[in-house]
Amino acid sequence: MATGQKPGALVEALLVLKAHNLNMSKLESRPIPGTPWEEMFYLDLDANLSNESMQKALKELERITRFIKVLGCYPCETVNPTQLSNSQLMIEPTTSRTAELNDGNNDNDSSIQTSHRRWSLTQKPQLTQITHGQLAIGNGQFGAIAQLKLTTDSQDIAQQAKQLKEAGFQAVLLTGIQHVQHVSPLLDEVKRALHQFDLSCVFEIEYETELKQAVGHADILLISGKQMHHKPLLQQIGSLHIPVILERNTMASVDEFLASAETILSCGNQQVILCESGIRTFNDAVKPALDLAALVQIKAMSHLPIIINTSYAYEPLNETGIVIAAKQLRADGVILPFMPEMGNVDEQISLHRQCLSELYHKHRLV
């Protein structure tokens, strides 16, 4: 498991074991590759995984850790072996349970299964908060992320980072990794440039091949809606320890959206942020439409934070009204486009600053 980045986080996790009278026979720490000063903890417990006390402890640990995964259960002199299902191992949700969640023909079964989902408020009544550096999203915290196309000029990005920081953003989402050659050194330079201004670095994963390039450079990953149904990719993301933003596919239902989030959560990664970027409305509209009704529905069902991305559904610099509306509906953050290639950079920065100032001050956001 990986605990939160706060004083006493490991002690808090170990107290869960004490509360359930579980003996810990081993505790080891190992560095997390690509994340200096952070460690993963490996534990051995003298308990059968099928025991009620062990199951209750695992559920509590899921609520307070950033990453947790059961590697297995083996016999010793005092504990009998047990046969484990995939759900007990927390490797992936079983096919039958996922099918039941997506099957709208049996409402009673669906509601019963929902209560056992890791994204559900029934499983975790406390709202999840994801924090990295100055960026905080969820549980009353509202984050602002600028969306920017990746270029080969790191100096240009450094200048833009300064402007975006001054405008009120706490993170930058970079898209278009696949269009850049020799990308790894560039990603290092970009990350350093953003960190210089205390901006978290978010990389979009639009194609599966980009994941390997982005891991180790990104502070946060955003999974494009195009990949929302790509279960093997979601399972890979679930095995990582860094926060992930999961974007809704433009044709996906709310149930399908949450089922994809469940795939990530069930593989260990508990740092999931949902993102509503717009759905297709089956009319002649060229742009997708933000589904604010889905935002309200998800907030009523899930402890996971949810943000909106206006980059695709609205004309640039014309989104203040919808952002304020989304915040009033309890959205936890926003992604706003920044497009220097369209010119009028000063005007874009000025309008973004005005939008965020209105959000943070007039509407008293945290």
Side-chain angles (χ1 to χ4, degrees):
M1 66 182 182
T3 59
Q5 294 287 11
K6 61 180 182 179
L10 177 59
V11 173
E12 183 182 5
L14 298 181
L15 285 175
V16 171
L17 305 180
K18 179 182 179 181
H20 292 280
N21 198 30
L22 296 172
N23 182 53
M24 181 178 65
S25 56
K26 180 186 292 186
L27 173 64
E28 296 181 356
S29 62
R30 291 288 183 271
I32 299 175
T35 311
W37 318 116
E38 292 189 32
E39 294 182 324
M40 190 82 75
F41 298 100
Y42 293 82
L43 297 85
D44 273 8
L45 306 177
D46 295 336
N48 193 304
L49 193 57
S50 62
N51 288 349
E52 183 180 2
S53 59
M54 187 66 202
Q55 287 296 313
K56 287 181 178 180
L58 283 174
K59 290 185 184 300
E60 290 185 33
L61 288 171
E62 278 188 3
R63 296 170 184 159
I64 63 175
T65 55
R66 295 187 300 140
F67 178 93
I68 181 169
K69 185 172 183 178
V70 176
L71 300 179
C73 183
Y74 56 92
C76 71
E77 293 180 356
T78 58
V79 180
N80 294 325
T82 183
Q83 289 296 113
L84 306 178
S85 67
N86 283 335
S87 60
Q88 286 177 308
L89 284 170
M90 299 170 62
I91 295 174
E92 61 182 29
T94 62
T95 304
S96 60
R97 291 179 66 186
T98 303
E100 287 174 352
L101 179 64
N102 292 328
D103 185 0
N105 296 327
N106 191 329
D107 293 336
N108 291 332
D109 286 349
S110 180
S111 62
I112 291 172
Q113 293 300 328
T114 295
S115 67
H116 296 289
R117 290 298 171 178
R118 291 174 174 86
W119 50 258
S120 171
L121 277 169
T122 305
Q123 282 290 92
K124 182 184 177 184
Q126 181 183 358
L127 298 177
T128 293
Q129 179 179 312
I130 309 297
T131 303
H132 184 277
Q134 300 296 314
L135 179 69
I137 293 175
N139 195 22
Q141 301 289 327
F142 191 90
I145 303 173
Q147 180 169 309
L148 180 66
K149 187 176 181 180
L150 184 64
T151 69
T152 56
D153 190 343
S154 59
Q155 294 298 323
D156 198 25
I157 291 178
Q159 177 60 33
Q160 293 162 0
K162 180 177 184 295
Q163 295 172 310
L164 292 171
K165 179 66 176 181
E166 292 173 348
F169 291 98
Q170 300 97 38
V172 174
L173 164 63
L174 291 147
T175 66
I177 294 178
Q178 74 278 10
H179 299 305
V180 179
Q181 293 182 340
H182 310 295
V183 71
S184 186
L186 176 63
L187 298 186
D188 278 333
E189 294 176 14
V190 168
K191 185 175 182 179
R192 283 195 295 269
L194 295 180
H195 283 187
Q196 182 180 354
F197 297 98
D198 294 323
L199 291 168
S200 297
C201 182
V202 187
F203 286 122
E204 179 189 45
I205 306 301
E206 190 174 7
Y207 301 96
E208 185 176 7
T209 54
E210 296 172 344
L211 179 60
K212 185 177 181 180
Q213 297 171 320
V215 171
H217 302 286
D219 300 316
I220 303 171
L221 296 174
L222 182 143
I223 308 305
S224 166
K226 296 177 182 178
Q227 300 294 338
M228 195 204 84
H229 295 294
H230 193 333
K231 189 172 181 178
L233 176 61
L234 298 182
Q235 290 172 331
Q236 290 184 63
I237 297 296
S239 68
L240 301 176
H241 64 278
I242 65 175
V244 56
I245 301 172
L246 178 64
E247 185 178 66
R248 181 184 178 188
N249 186 282
T250 57
M251 302 294 288
S253 67
V254 169
D255 281 351
E256 291 170 329
F257 190 24
L258 292 173
S260 294
E262 179 72 13
T263 298
I264 298 174
L265 292 167
S266 65
C267 291
N269 193 341
Q270 307 299 299
Q271 302 179 89
V272 177
I273 301 167
L274 304 176
C275 180
E276 166 60 42
S277 298
I279 59 171
R280 296 295 175 185
T281 57
F282 300 101
N283 56 28
D284 295 330
V286 176
K287 291 180 175 291
L290 282 180
D291 189 358
L292 295 185
L295 187 154
V296 174
Q297 182 181 358
I298 289 171
K299 292 299 293 185
M301 298 166 60
S302 177
H303 60 84
L304 296 177
I306 179 168
I307 63 177
I308 65 166
N309 186 347
T310 68
S311 302
Y312 310 110
Y314 290 88
E315 292 297 330
L317 311 178
N318 189 31
E319 64 278 294
T320 300
I322 195 68
V323 172
I324 292 174
K327 179 61 185 73
Q328 296 298 329
L329 296 173
R330 298 173 55 215
D332 298 295
V334 62
I335 299 176
L336 298 175
F338 179 58
M339 294 173 285
E341 67 274 11
M342 294 185 63
N344 297 321
V345 170
D346 291 339
E347 180 183 359
Q348 291 187 51
I349 290 294
S350 177
L351 290 172
H352 282 324
R353 182 185 292 111
Q354 181 180 347
C355 176
L356 295 179
S357 177
E358 188 169 350
L359 279 169
Y360 282 98
H361 299 295
K362 183 177 292 186
H363 294 270
R364 296 183 180 180
L365 303 185
V366 176

